[in-house]
Amino acid sequence: MTNILIHLLLAIFMPPLLLGVIGKTKAAFAGRIGAPFLQPYYDIFRLLRKGTVFSTTTTWIFRAGPIVSLATTAVAALLIPFGAHPAPISFQGDMILYAYLFALGRFFTMAAALDTGSSFEGMGSAREATYSCLAEPTLFFALITLSRLSGSYSLSAMLIKVSSSIWLEAGAALILLVGGMFIVLLVENCRIPFDDPNTHLELTMIHEVMVLDHSGPAFGLIQYGASLKLFVLGAFFVHLALPYATGTPSVDWLLFIISMLELAVIIGTVESVMARLRLVRIPQLLVAATILAAFSTLLVIR
Amino acid sequence: MYSALQDVCDPAIVAIIAALFIGSAGIPGLFLRPGPGQMIATVTTILASLAGLPAALALLFAPATSTFVLAWELPFGPCELAIDPLSAFFLLPIFLVTATGSLFALGYWPAATHRSTERGLTFFYGLLASSMALLVMARNGVFFLMVWEVMALSAYFLLVTEHGREDVRRAGTVYLIATHTGSAALFVFFSLLAGQTGSFLLPASGSLSALPPVALAIGLTAFAGFGAKAGIMPLHIWLPSAHANAPSHVSAMMSGVMLKMGLYGIFRTLTFFHDPPLVWGAFLTVTGITSALLGIAFAVAQRDLKRLLACSSIENIGIITTGLGVAMLGVSSHNPPLAYLGMAGALLHILNHSFFKPLLFLGSGVIIHATGTREMNLMGGLGKEMPRTALLFLVGSVAICGIPPLNGFVSEFLLYLGFFSQLQATSMPYIVLLAPLLALVGGLAMIAFTKLYSSVFLGAARKPGATHPHEAALTMLLPMGIFALLCLTIGLAPQLAQRLVSPALAAFMPAMARSIDPAEYMSILGRLSLFAILLLLVAFLLTLFLRWRLRQSEVTAAPTWGCGYQRATARMEYTATAFSELAVSVFNGIIRQRIERPALTGIFPSAARCNDLPTETVLDRIIVPLFNLAGPSFAFLRRLQHGQMHVYMLYIFVTLFILMLWAH
C-alpha cells in the first residue's frame, strides 16, 4: 500500500523536476547559472492561472486534445514499475495496452493540432504521425526481447527482471536495446537531436508546433503531460540502462529517484553537445533504431 | 434465453423466415409508386432483422445444430440447410448491417429524389442480404454456388446503381470479372470436394484428411475463390473501386458483410480437415499480414474518402486472415493457447469490423450528401455544421485504428497475446515477429485515419461556399449511433465479446477449445475493461478541472495564430495529400503516387495545374498488362459473343446435351 502511494506521489509530483534538471544541465554546459530546478513547476502553475485564447476555427476536439493526451499518459504511468517496485496494476499483456495508450493520446494531439487549420500545425502533425509510426516497431522489438529474457508477459515482471546478472548473460542484446530505446525516448519526448522543445516556430519543428495555438490552462496541461510522458518513458528506459536494486524498499525508491535524475542529466548533456538533425535524417535514424532493436530480438530468440 | 425462445418458436426457422422476408422486401416496391415501396421495404427489413438477430443469438448459444432438408427436384443430392454456431455468428452482422443500412437509405437515397434508381436499389439490397443469410446456412455445394451467384450479381447491380457515370461502369466491370474468376475457382472447388466425398453435401467437420494432394488443390481453389471475395491481396483488385463507387449504405454492406462471406468460406473449408498441415497456417499468416501492411499503406495515399475506407478494409481482412493463420498454426502444432487466441482475435475482429466499417461508410455517405464530393482535399470544417456526425465518425476512426478504449483494440490485443504466447516455447518463437509488423500496421492506420478525420471535419472549409453542409437526418444518424454504441460497449466490456465468440470458436475447433480455460483470458480482458473505465474517469476529471480553470480566467476568441501573417485563408491549410506526403515518401516503393507537374518557365510562369494520383500498383502494373496480353490471343472466342439471345440458349442446350452424352 505504501509503495503504491509512493508510486502515485512520485508520478504526480516528480515529472517537472526532470525538465528542471535538464535545463540546469544545459545551462551548466553553456556556462550560465540557469533557471532554478523548480522553474517548470512555476511555469505550469502560472499557465493554469492565465487566460486562454481559442481560435475561432476550432471545435471541442481542440479542447479535448490536451485532456486526452494527459489522461492516457497518467493511466500509462500506473503500468510502469518504478525502480525495483512493481507497478500498481499489472497483468498479462499490459505492455500492449501501454504502447497503445500513447497512440490514443497521439491521435487526439494530432487532431487538436489539425483543428486549428494552421499549416504549421498540419506540418507538425504530419511529421508526428510518420515518425511515431516508424518508432512503434522499435518499442515492440524491445518488448519482445525483454519478454523473452524475463519469461513473462507483463511490464512489471519483465522490467524488474533486468539486473546486472541479466546484463552479464545477454549484454550484447541489452546494449543494442538501450541504443534503440534511447533514440525512441528522445523522439517521443521531442528532445534534441530530433526536435527542440525550446523553439516553437521553425519549420523543422514537430511536437512543439502542434501545440502552437494552445494557451493558458490547456497549455499548462500539455506542459505537465509532456513532463509526465518523459517521466514514464524514462522510467522504462532506466530499467534497461541503470538497473539498480538492493532489496530494501526505501533504498530502492531513493535509487530510482537518483537514476531518473541521472537520466535527466544524460538527456541534458546530449542536448548540449549535439545539434538538431536535418529533417530528412530523422526517418533514417528511426529505422536504424528499429534495426538495432530487431538485432537484439534476434540475439535472444535464436 | 435459448429455452425461453424455443418454447415460442424454433430460432432456426425464425432466422430462415427473416432471411426470406428481407429478400422479398423490395418486391412490392417494384409494382408500387416509389415512395411507399421503399417504406414497406425498410419496415419489413427492420422487423425481419429484429426477429432474426435474437434468433441468431439463440442459435449461437444453442447446444445442437439445427438442420433442415429442402425438397428440390435437382439432381445434386439433398439440399441441406444447417445453422451451427459458426453460421449463427456470421448471421449477426448480416442482420445488423442490413437493418441499419436499410434505415439509412431512407434519408440517403430517398425515393422522392432518386425515382429511377431507388426501386432497383431497394430490391437488390434485400436480395443481397437474403442471399448472404442463406449462404451461411447452405450445406449443399450446388445450393451454395447458387446463392453465391445471387449474392455476387445483386452486389453488381447495387454497385452500378449510378450507371450513367463512366467510373461506376468501369468499377462494375472490374468487379464482375474478379467475382466470376473467383466463382470459377469455386466451381472447381466444389467439384473436387464432391469427388472426395461422393456427394455435393459439404463434408462434416474434421471428416477429410489434408494429406492427399487433392486436398492441396481443394485448399488452393478455396483460397482463390473465397479470397477473391474477401479481398485478400493480391486478389483485392476489384475492391477499392467497387466500394468507392457504390452508394454508401451498399458500401457498408459490401465491406461490413459481403467480404466476410469470403472469410466464412475459408473458415468453413478449414473445418473440413482434421489435420491441416503447418504450411497452410503459415501461408494464411503471410498473405494476411502482407494484405494488412499493403492495404493500409495504400489507404494512406488515397485522397478519395471512400477509396481510403475501402483500402482499409483490405487491411482489416488481412488482420483477420493473420489471426486465422496463427490459429491454424496452433491447430497444426497442437498448441491450444495459440489456436485459441488467434481464432478469438480473428472472430472478434470480424465482428468489430462489421461495426466500425459500416459506421464509417455510412458516415461517408452523410459527408458526400453534405458536400457533394468524395475528394478529401476539398472538404474541411464539417465538424462545426455537423457536430453529431463528427462525433460518431470520430468513434469509428478511433476504433478502426485499434486504440483503446474502443473495440478495435480488444481484437488486436488478443492477436498480440497470441503472437507473444509462443515466445518462451521452442517450437515457433518466430511468430512473435508479427507483433512489430502489426504495430506498424497500427501506426499507418493512425496516419490514414487522422488524415481522413481531420481533413473532413476539422479546420476550415477548403472550398467554402460551394455547398451548405447541414446535420444529417435522424434516420441517418440513428444507424451510425447504433454502431458507435456497439463499438463502445465492446471496448468497455470486452468480456461480453469473448462470450460471443466462444461458441463459434468451439464449433470451429472443438478439441482445442475444450483444452483451454477461458477464465484466464476473461480476467485479462477484465483488466482491459478496468483500464478503459479508468481512462474515461481520468479524462472526465481533467475535463472538469479544465472547465473550472477556464471559468476562473479570461477566455477570448481570435483567429488561428498565423505567425504574424494576417490574411490566412483556407487555401493555405494543410490538405489531406500534404498530410500524408511525408509518409508516402518514406514508404516510397510500396506506395506510389503519380504526380503530374507542369514545367514552369520564365520569370512569371502562367497559371498551371499540378495533379497527383495514388496508383493501383497491382491492377495497373500486373493485371491490366496481363489482360491486354490475353485479349488478342482469345480474340477467336469473341465470334461466339454477338448478343443474340436465341443463339446463347442454343449454346446452353448443346452443352447440356454433350454433357449428358458424356455422362452416359
Side-chain angles (χ1 to χ4, degrees), chain B residues 267-296:
Chain B
F267 276 74
R268 185 57 77 193
T269 309
L270 288 172
T271 61
F272 300 158
F273 300 97
H274 56 82
D275 55 348
L278 212 54
V279 65
W280 288 21
F283 178 71
L284 284 174
T285 312
V286 171
T287 46
I289 199 74
T290 315
S291 291
L293 262 176
L294 296 184
I296 196 63

PDB file of all heavy atoms in Angstrom, chain B residues 267-296:
ATOM      1  N   PHE B 267     -13.163 -20.141 -43.566  1.00  0.00           N
ATOM      2  CA  PHE B 267     -13.353 -20.774 -42.246  1.00  0.00           C
ATOM      3  C   PHE B 267     -14.003 -22.148 -42.421  1.00  0.00           C
ATOM      4  O   PHE B 267     -13.563 -23.134 -41.869  1.00  0.00           O
ATOM      5  CB  PHE B 267     -14.251 -19.908 -41.358  1.00  0.00           C
ATOM      6  CG  PHE B 267     -13.537 -18.811 -40.628  1.00  0.00           C
ATOM      7  CD1 PHE B 267     -13.103 -17.685 -41.304  1.00  0.00           C
ATOM      8  CD2 PHE B 267     -13.292 -18.904 -39.282  1.00  0.00           C
ATOM      9  CE1 PHE B 267     -12.450 -16.667 -40.644  1.00  0.00           C
ATOM     10  CE2 PHE B 267     -12.638 -17.881 -38.606  1.00  0.00           C
ATOM     11  CZ  PHE B 267     -12.218 -16.767 -39.289  1.00  0.00           C
ATOM     12  N   ARG B 268     -15.099 -22.154 -43.207  1.00  0.00           N
ATOM     13  CA  ARG B 268     -15.862 -23.392 -43.374  1.00  0.00           C
ATOM     14  C   ARG B 268     -14.983 -24.464 -44.006  1.00  0.00           C
ATOM     15  O   ARG B 268     -14.994 -25.616 -43.561  1.00  0.00           O
ATOM     16  CB  ARG B 268     -17.100 -23.085 -44.234  1.00  0.00           C
ATOM     17  CG  ARG B 268     -18.072 -24.204 -44.434  1.00  0.00           C
ATOM     18  CD  ARG B 268     -18.640 -24.801 -43.187  1.00  0.00           C
ATOM     19  NE  ARG B 268     -19.673 -24.014 -42.543  1.00  0.00           N
ATOM     20  CZ  ARG B 268     -20.122 -24.247 -41.298  1.00  0.00           C
ATOM     21  NH1 ARG B 268     -19.652 -25.257 -40.590  1.00  0.00           N
ATOM     22  NH2 ARG B 268     -21.048 -23.484 -40.765  1.00  0.00           N
ATOM     23  N   THR B 269     -14.226 -24.084 -45.034  1.00  0.00           N
ATOM     24  CA  THR B 269     -13.373 -25.062 -45.695  1.00  0.00           C
ATOM     25  C   THR B 269     -12.378 -25.660 -44.712  1.00  0.00           C
ATOM     26  O   THR B 269     -12.122 -26.863 -44.727  1.00  0.00           O
ATOM     27  CB  THR B 269     -12.606 -24.390 -46.849  1.00  0.00           C
ATOM     28  OG1 THR B 269     -13.537 -23.690 -47.646  1.00  0.00           O
ATOM     29  CG2 THR B 269     -11.879 -25.421 -47.685  1.00  0.00           C
ATOM     30  N   LEU B 270     -11.812 -24.804 -43.850  1.00  0.00           N
ATOM     31  CA  LEU B 270     -10.805 -25.306 -42.916  1.00  0.00           C
ATOM     32  C   LEU B 270     -11.400 -26.293 -41.922  1.00  0.00           C
ATOM     33  O   LEU B 270     -10.695 -27.171 -41.429  1.00  0.00           O
ATOM     34  CB  LEU B 270     -10.143 -24.137 -42.180  1.00  0.00           C
ATOM     35  CG  LEU B 270      -9.208 -23.314 -43.071  1.00  0.00           C
ATOM     36  CD1 LEU B 270      -8.735 -22.081 -42.345  1.00  0.00           C
ATOM     37  CD2 LEU B 270      -8.015 -24.148 -43.507  1.00  0.00           C
ATOM     38  N   THR B 271     -12.716 -26.155 -41.633  1.00  0.00           N
ATOM     39  CA  THR B 271     -13.291 -27.105 -40.672  1.00  0.00           C
ATOM     40  C   THR B 271     -13.358 -28.525 -41.240  1.00  0.00           C
ATOM     41  O   THR B 271     -13.460 -29.470 -40.482  1.00  0.00           O
ATOM     42  CB  THR B 271     -14.725 -26.719 -40.262  1.00  0.00           C
ATOM     43  OG1 THR B 271     -15.541 -26.723 -41.427  1.00  0.00           O
ATOM     44  CG2 THR B 271     -14.801 -25.375 -39.599  1.00  0.00           C
ATOM     45  N   PHE B 272     -13.333 -28.656 -42.586  1.00  0.00           N
ATOM     46  CA  PHE B 272     -13.466 -29.998 -43.170  1.00  0.00           C
ATOM     47  C   PHE B 272     -12.306 -30.907 -42.792  1.00  0.00           C
ATOM     48  O   PHE B 272     -12.436 -32.109 -42.741  1.00  0.00           O
ATOM     49  CB  PHE B 272     -13.512 -29.926 -44.707  1.00  0.00           C
ATOM     50  CG  PHE B 272     -14.655 -29.116 -45.253  1.00  0.00           C
ATOM     51  CD1 PHE B 272     -14.580 -28.578 -46.528  1.00  0.00           C
ATOM     52  CD2 PHE B 272     -15.796 -28.885 -44.505  1.00  0.00           C
ATOM     53  CE1 PHE B 272     -15.627 -27.833 -47.032  1.00  0.00           C
ATOM     54  CE2 PHE B 272     -16.840 -28.132 -45.007  1.00  0.00           C
ATOM     55  CZ  PHE B 272     -16.753 -27.605 -46.270  1.00  0.00           C
ATOM     56  N   PHE B 273     -11.150 -30.322 -42.564  1.00  0.00           N
ATOM     57  CA  PHE B 273      -9.935 -31.128 -42.435  1.00  0.00           C
ATOM     58  C   PHE B 273      -9.575 -31.325 -40.965  1.00  0.00           C
ATOM     59  O   PHE B 273      -9.657 -30.385 -40.174  1.00  0.00           O
ATOM     60  CB  PHE B 273      -8.780 -30.452 -43.163  1.00  0.00           C
ATOM     61  CG  PHE B 273      -9.054 -30.265 -44.618  1.00  0.00           C
ATOM     62  CD1 PHE B 273      -9.535 -29.051 -45.094  1.00  0.00           C
ATOM     63  CD2 PHE B 273      -8.873 -31.308 -45.506  1.00  0.00           C
ATOM     64  CE1 PHE B 273      -9.817 -28.891 -46.433  1.00  0.00           C
ATOM     65  CE2 PHE B 273      -9.158 -31.142 -46.846  1.00  0.00           C
ATOM     66  CZ  PHE B 273      -9.638 -29.931 -47.321  1.00  0.00           C
ATOM     67  N   HIS B 274      -9.180 -32.532 -40.643  1.00  0.00           N
ATOM     68  CA  HIS B 274      -8.842 -32.758 -39.238  1.00  0.00           C
ATOM     69  C   HIS B 274      -7.347 -32.610 -38.987  1.00  0.00           C
ATOM     70  O   HIS B 274      -6.918 -32.550 -37.848  1.00  0.00           O
ATOM     71  CB  HIS B 274      -9.340 -34.125 -38.768  1.00  0.00           C
ATOM     72  CG  HIS B 274      -8.835 -35.266 -39.589  1.00  0.00           C
ATOM     73  ND1 HIS B 274      -7.601 -35.798 -39.395  1.00  0.00           N
ATOM     74  CD2 HIS B 274      -9.395 -35.954 -40.619  1.00  0.00           C
ATOM     75  CE1 HIS B 274      -7.417 -36.784 -40.281  1.00  0.00           C
ATOM     76  NE2 HIS B 274      -8.481 -36.886 -41.032  1.00  0.00           N
ATOM     77  N   ASP B 275      -6.547 -32.552 -40.045  1.00  0.00           N
ATOM     78  CA  ASP B 275      -5.097 -32.459 -39.825  1.00  0.00           C
ATOM     79  C   ASP B 275      -4.463 -31.450 -40.788  1.00  0.00           C
ATOM     80  O   ASP B 275      -3.652 -31.822 -41.626  1.00  0.00           O
ATOM     81  CB  ASP B 275      -4.458 -33.831 -40.018  1.00  0.00           C
ATOM     82  CG  ASP B 275      -4.812 -34.419 -41.390  1.00  0.00           C
ATOM     83  OD1 ASP B 275      -5.719 -33.854 -42.044  1.00  0.00           O
ATOM     84  OD2 ASP B 275      -4.179 -35.399 -41.795  1.00  0.00           O
ATOM     85  N   PRO B 276      -4.861 -30.182 -40.713  1.00  0.00           N
ATOM     86  CA  PRO B 276      -4.280 -29.222 -41.649  1.00  0.00           C
ATOM     87  C   PRO B 276      -2.763 -29.137 -41.439  1.00  0.00           C
ATOM     88  O   PRO B 276      -2.315 -29.065 -40.288  1.00  0.00           O
ATOM     89  CB  PRO B 276      -4.962 -27.904 -41.283  1.00  0.00           C
ATOM     90  CG  PRO B 276      -5.417 -28.091 -39.897  1.00  0.00           C
ATOM     91  CD  PRO B 276      -5.731 -29.542 -39.735  1.00  0.00           C
ATOM     92  N   PRO B 277      -1.991 -29.181 -42.517  1.00  0.00           N
ATOM     93  CA  PRO B 277      -0.540 -29.097 -42.344  1.00  0.00           C
ATOM     94  C   PRO B 277      -0.108 -27.695 -41.914  1.00  0.00           C
ATOM     95  O   PRO B 277      -0.835 -26.722 -42.113  1.00  0.00           O
ATOM     96  CB  PRO B 277       0.003 -29.442 -43.730  1.00  0.00           C
ATOM     97  CG  PRO B 277      -1.104 -29.176 -44.664  1.00  0.00           C
ATOM     98  CD  PRO B 277      -2.378 -29.358 -43.919  1.00  0.00           C
ATOM     99  N   LEU B 278       1.074 -27.628 -41.345  1.00  0.00           N
ATOM    100  CA  LEU B 278       1.608 -26.373 -40.823  1.00  0.00           C
ATOM    101  C   LEU B 278       1.689 -25.300 -41.901  1.00  0.00           C
ATOM    102  O   LEU B 278       1.454 -24.120 -41.661  1.00  0.00           O
ATOM    103  CB  LEU B 278       3.002 -26.649 -40.254  1.00  0.00           C
ATOM    104  CG  LEU B 278       3.461 -25.828 -39.067  1.00  0.00           C
ATOM    105  CD1 LEU B 278       2.455 -25.897 -37.949  1.00  0.00           C
ATOM    106  CD2 LEU B 278       4.812 -26.336 -38.592  1.00  0.00           C
ATOM    107  N   VAL B 279       1.966 -25.765 -43.131  1.00  0.00           N
ATOM    108  CA  VAL B 279       2.212 -24.792 -44.195  1.00  0.00           C
ATOM    109  C   VAL B 279       0.930 -24.013 -44.540  1.00  0.00           C
ATOM    110  O   VAL B 279       1.003 -22.864 -44.964  1.00  0.00           O
ATOM    111  CB  VAL B 279       2.830 -25.506 -45.423  1.00  0.00           C
ATOM    112  CG1 VAL B 279       1.863 -26.480 -46.027  1.00  0.00           C
ATOM    113  CG2 VAL B 279       3.296 -24.502 -46.440  1.00  0.00           C
ATOM    114  N   TRP B 280      -0.252 -24.585 -44.299  1.00  0.00           N
ATOM    115  CA  TRP B 280      -1.495 -23.840 -44.555  1.00  0.00           C
ATOM    116  C   TRP B 280      -1.572 -22.624 -43.648  1.00  0.00           C
ATOM    117  O   TRP B 280      -1.878 -21.512 -44.090  1.00  0.00           O
ATOM    118  CB  TRP B 280      -2.723 -24.728 -44.322  1.00  0.00           C
ATOM    119  CG  TRP B 280      -2.913 -25.777 -45.370  1.00  0.00           C
ATOM    120  CD1 TRP B 280      -1.952 -26.265 -46.216  1.00  0.00           C
ATOM    121  CD2 TRP B 280      -4.130 -26.463 -45.680  1.00  0.00           C
ATOM    122  NE1 TRP B 280      -2.495 -27.211 -47.024  1.00  0.00           N
ATOM    123  CE2 TRP B 280      -3.822 -27.362 -46.721  1.00  0.00           C
ATOM    124  CE3 TRP B 280      -5.422 -26.416 -45.175  1.00  0.00           C
ATOM    125  CZ2 TRP B 280      -4.786 -28.201 -47.278  1.00  0.00           C
ATOM    126  CZ3 TRP B 280      -6.384 -27.248 -45.721  1.00  0.00           C
ATOM    127  CH2 TRP B 280      -6.067 -28.138 -46.763  1.00  0.00           C
ATOM    128  N   GLY B 281      -1.306 -22.867 -42.375  1.00  0.00           N
ATOM    129  CA  GLY B 281      -1.328 -21.765 -41.419  1.00  0.00           C
ATOM    130  C   GLY B 281      -0.303 -20.709 -41.791  1.00  0.00           C
ATOM    131  O   GLY B 281      -0.576 -19.509 -41.762  1.00  0.00           O
ATOM    132  N   ALA B 282       0.890 -21.183 -42.151  1.00  0.00           N
ATOM    133  CA  ALA B 282       1.957 -20.242 -42.496  1.00  0.00           C
ATOM    134  C   ALA B 282       1.558 -19.408 -43.714  1.00  0.00           C
ATOM    135  O   ALA B 282       1.762 -18.194 -43.750  1.00  0.00           O
ATOM    136  CB  ALA B 282       3.244 -21.010 -42.774  1.00  0.00           C
ATOM    137  N   PHE B 283       0.944 -20.079 -44.686  1.00  0.00           N
ATOM    138  CA  PHE B 283       0.517 -19.378 -45.910  1.00  0.00           C
ATOM    139  C   PHE B 283      -0.516 -18.304 -45.584  1.00  0.00           C
ATOM    140  O   PHE B 283      -0.397 -17.151 -46.025  1.00  0.00           O
ATOM    141  CB  PHE B 283      -0.057 -20.413 -46.877  1.00  0.00           C
ATOM    142  CG  PHE B 283      -0.580 -19.828 -48.153  1.00  0.00           C
ATOM    143  CD1 PHE B 283       0.299 -19.325 -49.109  1.00  0.00           C
ATOM    144  CD2 PHE B 283      -1.940 -19.783 -48.404  1.00  0.00           C
ATOM    145  CE1 PHE B 283      -0.184 -18.784 -50.284  1.00  0.00           C
ATOM    146  CE2 PHE B 283      -2.433 -19.240 -49.581  1.00  0.00           C
ATOM    147  CZ  PHE B 283      -1.549 -18.741 -50.520  1.00  0.00           C
ATOM    148  N   LEU B 284      -1.511 -18.670 -44.783  1.00  0.00           N
ATOM    149  CA  LEU B 284      -2.542 -17.690 -44.418  1.00  0.00           C
ATOM    150  C   LEU B 284      -1.941 -16.534 -43.628  1.00  0.00           C
ATOM    151  O   LEU B 284      -2.290 -15.369 -43.846  1.00  0.00           O
ATOM    152  CB  LEU B 284      -3.643 -18.362 -43.593  1.00  0.00           C
ATOM    153  CG  LEU B 284      -4.627 -19.215 -44.374  1.00  0.00           C
ATOM    154  CD1 LEU B 284      -5.565 -19.937 -43.423  1.00  0.00           C
ATOM    155  CD2 LEU B 284      -5.435 -18.350 -45.323  1.00  0.00           C
ATOM    156  N   THR B 285      -1.022 -16.857 -42.718  1.00  0.00           N
ATOM    157  CA  THR B 285      -0.415 -15.802 -41.910  1.00  0.00           C
ATOM    158  C   THR B 285       0.339 -14.811 -42.790  1.00  0.00           C
ATOM    159  O   THR B 285       0.194 -13.601 -42.651  1.00  0.00           O
ATOM    160  CB  THR B 285       0.556 -16.414 -40.891  1.00  0.00           C
ATOM    161  OG1 THR B 285      -0.094 -17.488 -40.245  1.00  0.00           O
ATOM    162  CG2 THR B 285       0.986 -15.403 -39.873  1.00  0.00           C
ATOM    163  N   VAL B 286       1.139 -15.361 -43.706  1.00  0.00           N
ATOM    164  CA  VAL B 286       1.960 -14.477 -44.542  1.00  0.00           C
ATOM    165  C   VAL B 286       1.083 -13.631 -45.465  1.00  0.00           C
ATOM    166  O   VAL B 286       1.257 -12.408 -45.553  1.00  0.00           O
ATOM    167  CB  VAL B 286       2.988 -15.306 -45.341  1.00  0.00           C
ATOM    168  CG1 VAL B 286       3.690 -14.433 -46.371  1.00  0.00           C
ATOM    169  CG2 VAL B 286       4.004 -15.906 -44.401  1.00  0.00           C
ATOM    170  N   THR B 287       0.096 -14.260 -46.129  1.00  0.00           N
ATOM    171  CA  THR B 287      -0.759 -13.443 -47.003  1.00  0.00           C
ATOM    172  C   THR B 287      -1.552 -12.442 -46.174  1.00  0.00           C
ATOM    173  O   THR B 287      -1.765 -11.315 -46.606  1.00  0.00           O
ATOM    174  CB  THR B 287      -1.750 -14.304 -47.795  1.00  0.00           C
ATOM    175  OG1 THR B 287      -2.333 -15.237 -46.912  1.00  0.00           O
ATOM    176  CG2 THR B 287      -1.104 -15.009 -48.943  1.00  0.00           C
ATOM    177  N   GLY B 288      -1.951 -12.848 -44.970  1.00  0.00           N
ATOM    178  CA  GLY B 288      -2.731 -11.952 -44.125  1.00  0.00           C
ATOM    179  C   GLY B 288      -1.955 -10.706 -43.744  1.00  0.00           C
ATOM    180  O   GLY B 288      -2.418  -9.585 -43.949  1.00  0.00           O
ATOM    181  N   ILE B 289      -0.758 -10.897 -43.237  1.00  0.00           N
ATOM    182  CA  ILE B 289      -0.013  -9.728 -42.759  1.00  0.00           C
ATOM    183  C   ILE B 289       0.417  -8.870 -43.949  1.00  0.00           C
ATOM    184  O   ILE B 289       0.482  -7.635 -43.851  1.00  0.00           O
ATOM    185  CB  ILE B 289       1.180 -10.156 -41.857  1.00  0.00           C
ATOM    186  CG1 ILE B 289       1.651  -8.984 -41.008  1.00  0.00           C
ATOM    187  CG2 ILE B 289       2.323 -10.723 -42.630  1.00  0.00           C
ATOM    188  CD1 ILE B 289       0.768  -8.607 -39.872  1.00  0.00           C
ATOM    189  N   THR B 290       0.664  -9.513 -45.110  1.00  0.00           N
ATOM    190  CA  THR B 290       1.005  -8.727 -46.305  1.00  0.00           C
ATOM    191  C   THR B 290      -0.187  -7.869 -46.716  1.00  0.00           C
ATOM    192  O   THR B 290      -0.028  -6.678 -47.039  1.00  0.00           O
ATOM    193  CB  THR B 290       1.379  -9.663 -47.469  1.00  0.00           C
ATOM    194  OG1 THR B 290       2.236 -10.668 -46.976  1.00  0.00           O
ATOM    195  CG2 THR B 290       2.062  -8.909 -48.579  1.00  0.00           C
ATOM    196  N   SER B 291      -1.381  -8.467 -46.723  1.00  0.00           N
ATOM    197  CA  SER B 291      -2.578  -7.691 -47.064  1.00  0.00           C
ATOM    198  C   SER B 291      -2.744  -6.534 -46.109  1.00  0.00           C
ATOM    199  O   SER B 291      -3.084  -5.422 -46.516  1.00  0.00           O
ATOM    200  CB  SER B 291      -3.835  -8.540 -46.929  1.00  0.00           C
ATOM    201  OG  SER B 291      -3.878  -9.502 -47.895  1.00  0.00           O
ATOM    202  N   ALA B 292      -2.526  -6.808 -44.822  1.00  0.00           N
ATOM    203  CA  ALA B 292      -2.727  -5.765 -43.824  1.00  0.00           C
ATOM    204  C   ALA B 292      -1.784  -4.596 -44.091  1.00  0.00           C
ATOM    205  O   ALA B 292      -2.193  -3.442 -44.150  1.00  0.00           O
ATOM    206  CB  ALA B 292      -2.515  -6.335 -42.425  1.00  0.00           C
ATOM    207  N   LEU B 293      -0.492  -4.933 -44.292  1.00  0.00           N
ATOM    208  CA  LEU B 293       0.503  -3.865 -44.473  1.00  0.00           C
ATOM    209  C   LEU B 293       0.271  -3.093 -45.766  1.00  0.00           C
ATOM    210  O   LEU B 293       0.214  -1.860 -45.771  1.00  0.00           O
ATOM    211  CB  LEU B 293       1.893  -4.481 -44.503  1.00  0.00           C
ATOM    212  CG  LEU B 293       2.673  -4.431 -43.204  1.00  0.00           C
ATOM    213  CD1 LEU B 293       3.986  -5.153 -43.357  1.00  0.00           C
ATOM    214  CD2 LEU B 293       2.918  -2.987 -42.791  1.00  0.00           C
ATOM    215  N   LEU B 294       0.120  -3.831 -46.863  1.00  0.00           N
ATOM    216  CA  LEU B 294      -0.032  -3.139 -48.151  1.00  0.00           C
ATOM    217  C   LEU B 294      -1.360  -2.407 -48.207  1.00  0.00           C
ATOM    218  O   LEU B 294      -1.439  -1.297 -48.720  1.00  0.00           O
ATOM    219  CB  LEU B 294       0.097  -4.125 -49.307  1.00  0.00           C
ATOM    220  CG  LEU B 294       1.467  -4.782 -49.434  1.00  0.00           C
ATOM    221  CD1 LEU B 294       1.532  -5.656 -50.668  1.00  0.00           C
ATOM    222  CD2 LEU B 294       2.555  -3.725 -49.511  1.00  0.00           C
ATOM    223  N   GLY B 295      -2.411  -3.035 -47.673  1.00  0.00           N
ATOM    224  CA  GLY B 295      -3.723  -2.404 -47.721  1.00  0.00           C
ATOM    225  C   GLY B 295      -3.710  -1.061 -47.025  1.00  0.00           C
ATOM    226  O   GLY B 295      -4.176  -0.052 -47.569  1.00  0.00           O
ATOM    227  N   ILE B 296      -3.132  -1.011 -45.838  1.00  0.00           N
ATOM    228  CA  ILE B 296      -3.161   0.247 -45.097  1.00  0.00           C
ATOM    229  C   ILE B 296      -2.181   1.236 -45.708  1.00  0.00           C
ATOM    230  O   ILE B 296      -2.421   2.456 -45.690  1.00  0.00           O
ATOM    231  CB  ILE B 296      -2.921   0.008 -43.589  1.00  0.00           C
ATOM    232  CG1 ILE B 296      -3.344   1.231 -42.786  1.00  0.00           C
ATOM    233  CG2 ILE B 296      -1.516  -0.353 -43.277  1.00  0.00           C
ATOM    234  CD1 ILE B 296      -4.797   1.562 -42.861  1.00  0.00           C
TER     235      ILE B 296
END
